[in-house]
Amino acid sequence: MQNFLIKDGLLQGANFIPSPNFNARPTIQGKPTITGIVIHNISLPPSQFGKTDKTGTHFVKSFFQNQLNPDDHEYFKTIANLQVSAHLFIERNGQVTQFVNFDDRAWHAGQSSYLGRANCNDFTIGIELEGDDFSEFTDVQYDVLAQVITAIHHAYPATHRHLMGHSDIAPNRKTDPGEFFEWGRLRQLVGEFMGDLGK
Ligand SMILES: [Zn+2]
């Protein structure tokens, strides 16, 4: 397995492409608290994977940079003005891009609540998988996701056992990561990787 490390809120080994869509997390006794991880899916245009603009930039990366061109696809006209982001994006081939420092608040969850606490962006890390609600995710996506989550658990121990889907925290609005997402498989891999690192 690839060993990801987190240093100063950045995932070593990932491309870092800063998004303007973030702000400070609320602090408790001067420190941000990070106590969960939210899994999403995204594809642009919907259900098309690996698509890029004329410059070769992945549409999802353009979207999180506020640089999606509404002329490139009809659907983009409806979302080009949204200001959103995630901490991480994992493509179908397992490539990982970070957009927001983990210590900062990315804008991925929207109106949401988890265990009675509202505004999940305040205290979670958001991970987008390239995919949709109607397709299997790739093997390498599960592997990389589990490796990344393992690194997050070590850097932010309070996230341990607080994995959630966007649909869990915003059930009336959101369906991702969808019924094809294999939670059992992810948990098994994370458990294996956590065990490896503990030896
Ligand atoms: Zn989502």
Side-chain angles (χ1 to χ4, degrees), residues 39-41 108 128 166 174 176:
I39 310 296
H40 303 258
N41 74 45
H108 57 96
E128 295 275 2
H166 200 184
K174 294 293 176 179
D176 63 316

Side-chain angles (χ1 to χ4, degrees), residues 31-191:
K31 286 190 170 175
T33 55
I34 300 171
T35 57
I37 299 171
V38 182
I39 310 296
H40 303 258
N41 74 45
I42 188 171
S43 46
L44 294 176
S47 297
Q48 296 187 44
F49 306 145
K51 298 293 181 188
T52 64
D53 68 16
K54 293 181 196 75
T55 70
T57 303
H58 197 294
F59 281 133
V60 172
K61 297 178 188 175
S62 301
F63 183 42
F64 291 158
Q65 308 287 118
N66 301 338
Q67 288 175 1
L68 200 59
N69 184 343
D71 297 329
D72 279 348
H73 192 275
E74 273 305 300
Y75 179 72
F76 295 172
K77 294 179 179 25
T78 68
I79 62 165
N81 289 327
L82 296 179
Q83 295 185 330
V84 294
S85 62
H87 291 95
L88 299 178
F89 173 54
I90 302 176
E91 292 173 57
R92 304 293 288 181
N93 63 5
Q95 190 175 317
V96 188
T97 303
Q98 183 164 7
F99 297 93
V100 175
N101 188 301
F102 295 125
D103 296 329
D104 289 324
R105 182 180 182 274
W107 301 348
H108 57 96
Q111 196 175 56
S112 53
S113 79
Y114 178 66
L115 300 180
R117 189 172 171 193
N119 300 319
C120 295
N121 285 337
D122 290 352
F123 56 92
T124 61
I125 287 169
I127 302 178
E128 295 275 2
L129 297 174
E130 186 173 26
D132 63 16
D133 289 1
F134 319 104
S135 311
E136 304 278 1
F137 295 89
T138 67
D139 292 343
V140 68
Q141 281 180 308
Y142 283 103
D143 278 347
V144 169
L145 177 61
Q147 289 158 19
V148 164
I149 287 171
T150 301
I152 292 170
H153 283 344
H154 280 88
Y156 305 96
T159 60
H160 202 192
R161 304 196 193 287
H162 294 289
L163 278 179
M164 61 203 87
H166 200 184
S167 56
D168 297 320
I169 59 170
N172 299 322
R173 294 189 307 116
K174 294 293 176 179
T175 56
D176 63 316
E179 290 178 15
F180 280 89
F181 186 76
E182 298 174 49
W183 286 102
R185 179 175 177 179
L186 176 66
R187 288 201 167 89
Q188 164 129 17
L189 284 170
V190 171

